[in-house]
Amino acid sequence: MALHAIVAGDLRKKPPLVLLHGYGCGAFIWKKVVAGLDPAQPVIAYDMPGHAGSLHAEGIGGAGKMAKAIRNDLDLRGVTHFHVAGHSLGGATAALLALREQRRVLSATLLAPGGFGPAINHRLLSHYAQAETHLDLIWALEGMCGFNAVIDDDLVDDMLAVRHLPGAQEALTRIFEAITFTAPSGERVQGELPLDALAALATPIRVVWGGEDCILPSWQADRLPDNIALTRIATAGHMLVEEYPARIAELLREATAIDRSHLA
């Protein structure tokens, strides 16, 4: 099964912005962000493997498998150069695309990305993955958002709809087991990205982190290589796309403002 994506704009006119959502979500989370972008900017917002319209697609697993699936789909669409932005698991996937497709990725924006340290709140993430009712999902999201964030009921309904698809819970379980594992110390941790390799990239990279992130602690941003720009949003939690869509759109407008395809 091919990957499903929401495509806006003419992919032939300029390099698209590829959007990769986080664990347990779907392309629908980017609606408010896309509304704040330059209307002339083409966008490909993917349902990641194991989610929503790509529930049964190849590539279900960790960020490495996800990156391969996204790359293959972009090849099929004839996309030669692109900007990429990803949240959480999508952020780790975007980072791997930047590493593996250095001649094609024009910029990478990583929102509360996975892989920048071992620490991960696996208990809360597991509760979030298993939530199947409106109340349970609200409870999980309250722990994942900033302390004063307003949780959109429509977003919760969209998330529940895709979780109730046949096979959705099994796919989320597979992904959870791929992105977290038990370390020799007995702690449940996440896999880490090769920071040395990221430090060697010439591609413009920006990381955005919320100061109230209770899934991936914001102090992981202190480990960033010098070539990666950092934006901190003090009152944001982990769900940056939902909490601060206007700010994220602003950063993405900046990232996509310059067409660097002639440099690749």
Side-chain angles (χ1 to χ4, degrees), residues 39-154:
Q41 175 61 56
V43 172
I44 306 175
Y46 277 102
D47 284 335
M48 299 272 276
H51 296 82
S54 301
L55 179 56
H56 301 292
E58 291 186 9
I60 298 175
K65 285 188 175 181
M66 300 275 188
K68 182 178 179 180
I70 298 296
R71 181 199 65 198
N72 291 345
D73 191 85
L74 289 168
D75 289 346
L76 292 174
R77 295 176 189 269
V79 174
T80 57
H81 300 91
F82 58 96
H83 302 271
V84 64
H87 170 243
S88 196
L89 172 59
T93 304
L96 289 176
L97 282 169
L99 280 170
R100 297 175 181 179
E101 303 293 320
Q102 296 181 32
R103 296 181 63 84
R104 300 173 69 183
V105 175
L106 306 178
S107 73
T109 305
L110 317 178
L111 313 174
F116 280 87
I120 184 170
N121 189 339
H122 59 93
R123 292 189 181 92
L124 180 52
L125 195 65
S126 178
H127 288 312
Y128 162 74
Q130 295 175 43
E132 293 187 328
T133 69
H134 193 94
L135 184 61
D136 286 343
L137 189 51
I138 286 284
W139 180 88
L141 288 171
E142 284 179 347
M144 296 171 71
C145 292
F147 304 152
N148 291 293
V150 176
I151 299 172
D152 189 332
D153 278 336
D154 289 341

Side-chain angles (χ1 to χ4, degrees), residues 3 21 23-25 47-61 66 162 165 167-175:
L3 293 182
H21 63 79
Y23 178 59
C25 291
D47 284 335
M48 299 272 276
H51 296 82
S54 301
L55 179 56
H56 301 292
E58 291 186 9
I60 298 175
M66 300 275 188
V162 297
L165 295 171
Q169 281 298 323
E170 291 82 356
L172 288 179
T173 298
R174 285 177 60 188
I175 296 168

